[in-house]
Amino acid sequence: MPAAPGKGQASQRLFFALWPNAKLQTALHVAGQRLQETFGGRVVRTENIHMTLAFLGSIPAERFDELLGIGGAIRTKSFELKLTEMGCWKRSAVGWIAPESLPEPLTNLVLELRRRLLAAGFRVDDKPFAAHVTLLRKAKCRPQPARQQAPLEWCIDHFVLMRSDTLPDGPQYSQLATWPLS
Ligand code: 2AM
């Protein structure tokens, strides 16, 4: 990970996420290229592919330690995701891949993160969590039966706190902290 660019900024765009290893990111990028044949749009860069758990928006630097406390307090078992379902959401113009089912540890991880964030006064999404990995942006979504992909298996044993910086050629994500799952 690069040394914290943006350090010293008064506030930073932050989010908790699951981050695939480079091999799985490459396989997901290839899946994104196949989805692009159907829906067009722009394939997310390989190194940027992830699953957002909780998006925090712009957070003042002085609240960073609170987020470290929240991440560190989470106790969840490691788990596996089988990514098989592919589709496109018109509202966000996003092409995605999603797991065939939601394992309990993932639900627990997201609920526990949201609960602790809310209790600390952070704003969190009140929409139900829709587990997905964005593969395409600016896609031309249209009604299509969900596409099946041979399962891409993802063993998840940690989660991360990330910063998003907007650069002229797109977002750059930097890992700020990582926590293991038991
Ligand atoms: P997405 O890929 O599932 O759309 C980092 O910016 C991540 O946070 C993005 O990948 C995006 O997840 C999510 N994100 C960005 N802006 C958001 C917003 N306004 N509300 C919720 N999630 C957002």
Side-chain angles (χ1 to χ4, degrees):
M1 278 287 155
K7 218 175 162 185
Q9 278 173 209
S11 61
Q12 308 183 345
R13 251 166 89 90
L14 304 180
F15 60 103
F16 287 98
L18 301 176
W19 217 266
N21 64 26
K23 188 173 170 206
L24 180 56
Q25 280 181 318
T26 300
L28 287 164
H29 190 259
V30 171
Q33 287 170 325
R34 278 203 298 273
L35 200 61
Q36 187 185 38
E37 289 166 14
T38 308
F39 296 119
R42 198 161 29 78
V43 185
V44 175
R45 290 218 305 259
T46 305
E47 67 274 20
N48 282 353
I49 293 177
H50 64 274
M51 179 182 286
T52 302
L53 296 172
F55 178 73
L56 300 163
S58 192
I59 301 296
E62 60 268 23
R63 301 208 69 187
F64 182 62
D65 285 349
E66 283 177 74
L67 294 175
L68 293 184
I70 288 170
I74 302 282
R75 299 281 173 269
T76 304
K77 285 191 163 47
S78 51
F79 57 95
E80 188 174 298
L81 284 182
K82 281 191 189 0
L83 300 170
T84 52
E85 315 297 306
M86 296 174 93
C88 199
W89 288 324
K90 197 167 181 178
R91 179 180 293 227
S92 50
V94 149
W96 48 263
I97 187 165
E100 61 181 2
S101 63
L102 213 55
E104 202 175 302
L106 175 55
T107 311
N108 289 344
L109 174 57
V110 171
L111 289 180
E112 194 56 10
L113 268 176
R114 286 187 176 190
R115 188 181 68 73
R116 288 176 185 273
L117 288 166
L118 265 181
F122 290 95
R123 278 202 199 167
V124 294
D125 221 333
D126 51 9
K127 293 193 293 283
F129 175 61
H132 71 281
V133 175
T134 295
L135 299 178
L136 296 177
R137 297 205 184 272
K138 301 198 167 144
K140 294 172 197 69
C141 304
R142 55 183 187 281
Q144 283 266 329
R147 278 182 55 169
Q148 295 288 317
Q149 150 83 35
L152 291 172
E153 297 191 0
W154 188 2
C155 296
I156 294 159
D157 60 4
H158 71 290
F159 67 102
V160 293
L161 176 64
M162 302 295 295
R163 185 180 67 239
S164 167
D165 293 300
T166 306
L167 302 185
D169 63 341
Q172 183 189 59
Y173 301 128
S174 310
Q175 184 181 301
L176 303 179
T178 176
W179 295 274
L181 300 176
S182 56

